[in-house]
Amino acid sequence: MKFSYLWLKELTGITESPQKLAEFLTLRAFEVEGVEKIGNDWALDVKILPNRIADASGHRGLANEIGAIRKLKVKSLKFKVDEDKKRKAADLLKIKVENSEDCPRYTARVMDGIKICPSPAWLRERLEACGLQPINNVVDAANYVMLETGQPLHIFDADRIGIKNMQVQRFKSLKTIIVRRAKKGEKIVTLDDKTYEINPEILVIADEKEPIAIAGIKGGKESGVSGTTTAIVLESANFSPIRIRKGSQLLGLKTDASYRFEHGLDPNQTTAAVDRLAQLIREVAGGTILAGVVDAYPQKIKSAAILFRPEYAERLIGAKIPASFYKDAFRRLGWIAKSKGRDFVVTPPTQRRDIQIEEDVIEEIARLFDYTNVEPRMPHIPLSSPERNETIYWEERSRDLLVGAGFTENELYQFTGERELAAFGLDAEGLTELENPTNPETKYLVPRVLIKYLASAAENLRNSDA
């Protein structure tokens, strides 16, 4: 993923060069695969680990990572959503999710009175530094917020999904956005003018008649923003990673959004992202933000508390860590930590989907403590001889004596088939049967080992020169 050096610098206050920052990130966080000068900025190609996509695929997430390790205060994002309190989004839009496993959360806002035009220079430059092509102020704002937060967003032309009049008092019926599986035989033309045939394995966003987007992957052309768009619906959703990955593979279509969704994102981030987008669009495209969000979130995801034991952590890390370090580390990470005697009960934010067990917490402590502070030392191992296992000893001793006396040891296959059983006048009734044998003659567990010895002796005699 490409990150803007100047953007990260603005958030964290770092002073070192792009090359030095790349070296630091590679040693302490994520590998940087390249640094490229783009205009007045530098693009850092950072290899975000799959288990960190949820929290570190946006500039704020990576800035938080830098801040936690370097003890820097990350610049907070302060804004207020200027809503038209007289007009409510819920009066115009309804969300229907057919299966919450496919779409754990779908959040939307409604705006009208916007004006489509080219984006301001600062916005275009940020997108270009991250490898994205500017399109117009509204679409660029959505891409900017994705790069900022890691949460993919999409914008529909409200009029094209049936919302013909944004005046509440003149609006006669609710319009519904439906999140569902595609129907067999359905097709959709995407924003890049390509036609895709979709099937029930693929999740779509639809109105009451037809699909208007491939969920989490690509928007539809018919509902896309154009130069005449004045009213929009802002989508900020959370989709099943499995469903998005399968749809992306079936269609041969991978996007920045699908890459993030297929690694799993935090459903609790959708509201903050759509609020940020609405306010940014108001700044670059004007318009009015209707009051409230339309939100389908039936089962809220909560962080799990994890018991953290410093004594156990120090044993695994191999270093004595000052007691004061732990509270400071949790504060820098933005985690809630409550003391429990000498231990802590830690609650990471839901964005940190990779933190599930105590060892995950220990790994974070070790990273912040810095592995270079762990002094190398030889492992402590017992030098005494283990207690002799008499069974194994005499088994090996007997084998050595017999081999020394000229005997040959045979290790024979323990499975048989109906043909070999029939040769000895036996049938397969009551024998243990394999569910998935490699071939019919290895279908059953041999009932008598003597069968295999006799069969082996016969095979040897057939191939002997004597």
Side-chain angles (χ1 to χ4, degrees):
M1 291 184 173
K2 290 188 176 182
F3 290 81
S4 160
Y5 165 75
L6 293 180
W7 199 345
L8 293 172
K9 183 178 181 179
E10 177 185 301
L11 292 171
T12 62
I14 52 175
T15 57
E16 63 259 62
S17 68
Q19 292 74 20
K20 287 292 184 182
L21 177 61
E23 182 180 344
F24 164 75
L25 286 171
T26 299
L27 291 174
R28 299 294 302 275
F30 307 110
E31 180 183 356
V32 178
E33 298 183 308
V35 179
E36 180 185 2
K37 183 79 162 62
I38 299 179
N40 297 320
D41 204 348
W42 290 262
L44 277 63
D45 191 358
V46 186
K47 190 176 181 180
I48 303 296
L49 299 174
N51 65 338
R52 296 295 304 277
I53 293 294
D55 74 286
S57 61
H59 280 71
R60 288 202 159 272
L62 188 56
N64 288 335
E65 182 78 0
I66 296 170
I69 299 172
R70 297 285 295 275
K71 299 182 180 181
L72 298 172
K73 186 177 181 181
V74 177
K75 183 179 179 181
S76 61
L77 178 63
K78 296 180 179 179
F79 68 92
K80 181 182 178 182
V81 181
D82 297 321
E83 297 178 319
D84 181 353
K85 300 298 183 183
K86 297 178 181 179
R87 306 164 67 192
K88 296 181 180 180
D91 290 335
L92 301 175
L93 187 67
K94 180 181 179 182
I95 304 298
K96 180 181 178 182
V97 178
E98 290 192 349
N99 186 339
S100 61
E101 290 185 2
D102 288 343
C103 178
R105 188 176 193 184
Y106 193 98
T107 308
R109 273 193 175 274
V110 179
M111 294 183 67
D112 76 338
I114 64 163
K115 183 178 180 181
I116 303 297
C117 63
S119 297
W122 69 265
L123 180 51
R124 296 197 306 269
E125 289 169 3
R126 285 280 164 90
L127 296 183
E128 288 168 352
C130 297
L132 297 182
Q133 185 69 33
I135 299 172
N136 59 52
N137 51 352
V138 171
V139 174
D140 292 351
N143 285 331
Y144 178 89
V145 175
M146 179 186 71
L147 294 174
E148 182 179 56
T149 65
Q151 170 67 43
L153 301 115
H154 186 67
I155 299 176
F156 299 102
D157 185 319
D159 291 331
R160 296 189 182 187
I161 55 174
I163 302 177
K164 301 298 183 184
N165 192 325
M166 301 303 292
Q167 296 295 327
V168 174
Q169 63 270 25
R170 294 173 59 190
F171 196 73
K172 296 181 179 180
S173 62
L174 277 173
K175 297 299 178 180
T176 304
I177 283 182
I178 304 167
V179 186
R180 61 169 173 82
R181 299 284 186 92
K183 298 174 183 177
K184 188 176 180 181
E186 281 188 319
K187 295 182 180 181
I188 185 171
V189 180
T190 54
L191 291 166
D192 54 2
D193 289 318
K194 293 183 179 178
T195 301
Y196 292 92
E197 188 169 332
I198 49 182
N199 60 56
E201 289 292 327
I202 297 170
L203 192 66
V204 298
I205 311 300
D207 57 20
E208 294 170 320
K209 296 181 179 179
E210 60 186 1
I212 57 176
I214 304 171
I217 301 176
K218 197 81 170 178
K221 184 176 181 180
E222 290 300 318
S223 62
V225 172
S226 67
T228 60
T229 298
T230 58
I232 53 175
V233 171
L234 287 58
E235 170 194 281
S236 180
N238 185 268
F239 301 113
S240 160
I242 296 173
R243 187 54 45 207
I244 300 304
R245 181 169 177 80
K246 180 166 285 190
S248 178
Q249 289 178 327
L250 288 172
L251 298 172
L253 182 59
K254 186 176 286 290
T255 61
D256 289 329
S258 69
Y259 182 78
R260 286 169 167 82
F261 279 127
E262 68 184 30
H263 285 94
L265 296 178
D266 175 20
N268 293 322
Q269 299 303 307
T270 63
T271 304
V274 81
D275 286 350
R276 167 66 169 148
L277 176 58
Q279 188 60 29
L280 182 58
I281 289 176
R282 191 173 185 277
E283 293 173 10
V284 299
T288 302
I289 305 170
L290 275 65
V293 296
V294 185
D295 195 17
Y297 193 15
Q299 188 171 357
K300 188 172 182 178
I301 303 298
K302 297 181 179 179
S303 295
I306 302 170
L307 177 65
F308 171 75
R309 299 165 293 171
E311 183 181 357
Y312 177 49
E314 291 173 11
R315 186 149 42 93
L316 289 188
I317 295 169
K320 183 67 177 176
I321 300 176
S324 59
F325 177 84
Y326 297 108
K327 283 187 177 181
D328 181 59
F330 294 135
R331 178 190 60 78
R332 284 152 55 190
L333 287 167
W335 298 3
I336 298 172
K338 296 181 180 179
S339 298
K340 186 178 181 181
R342 295 182 178 180
D343 303 329
F344 294 90
V345 176
V346 180
T347 307
T350 50
Q351 274 187 300
R352 289 301 303 267
R353 296 167 62 92
D354 59 311
I355 307 298
Q356 301 291 330
I357 58 177
E358 185 179 12
E359 285 75 11
D360 295 330
V361 181
I362 293 171
E363 184 179 9
E364 290 299 290
I365 291 295
R367 288 199 316 116
L368 266 62
F369 183 67
D370 193 347
Y371 295 118
T372 61
N373 290 328
V374 180
E375 296 182 3
R377 63 187 181 190
M378 295 295 292
H380 295 282
I381 57 173
L383 297 177
S384 58
S385 300
E387 183 179 347
R388 188 168 81 177
N389 185 310
E390 294 295 332
T391 302
I392 295 176
Y393 172 79
W394 286 111
E395 181 181 311
E396 294 292 332
R397 181 68 174 153
S398 300
R399 179 181 287 110
D400 292 342
L401 289 171
L402 290 169
V403 169
F407 287 88
T408 300
E409 182 179 10
N410 288 335
E411 293 187 4
L412 302 173
Y413 205 52
Q414 299 299 309
F415 297 94
T416 186
E418 293 176 352
R419 186 174 60 184
E420 189 174 61
L421 289 169
F424 289 92
L426 301 173
D427 59 44
E429 185 178 355
L431 299 185
T432 301
E433 182 179 352
L434 293 178
E435 287 186 0
N436 188 27
T438 55
N439 66 67
E441 289 307 308
T442 61
K443 192 174 183 180
Y444 304 101
L445 186 66
V446 66
R448 301 171 190 171
V449 180
L450 182 60
I451 291 174
K452 304 304 291 186
Y453 281 105
L454 291 174
S456 179
E459 183 68 19
N460 289 338
L461 289 173
R462 281 195 297 271
N463 292 281
S464 173
D465 294 334

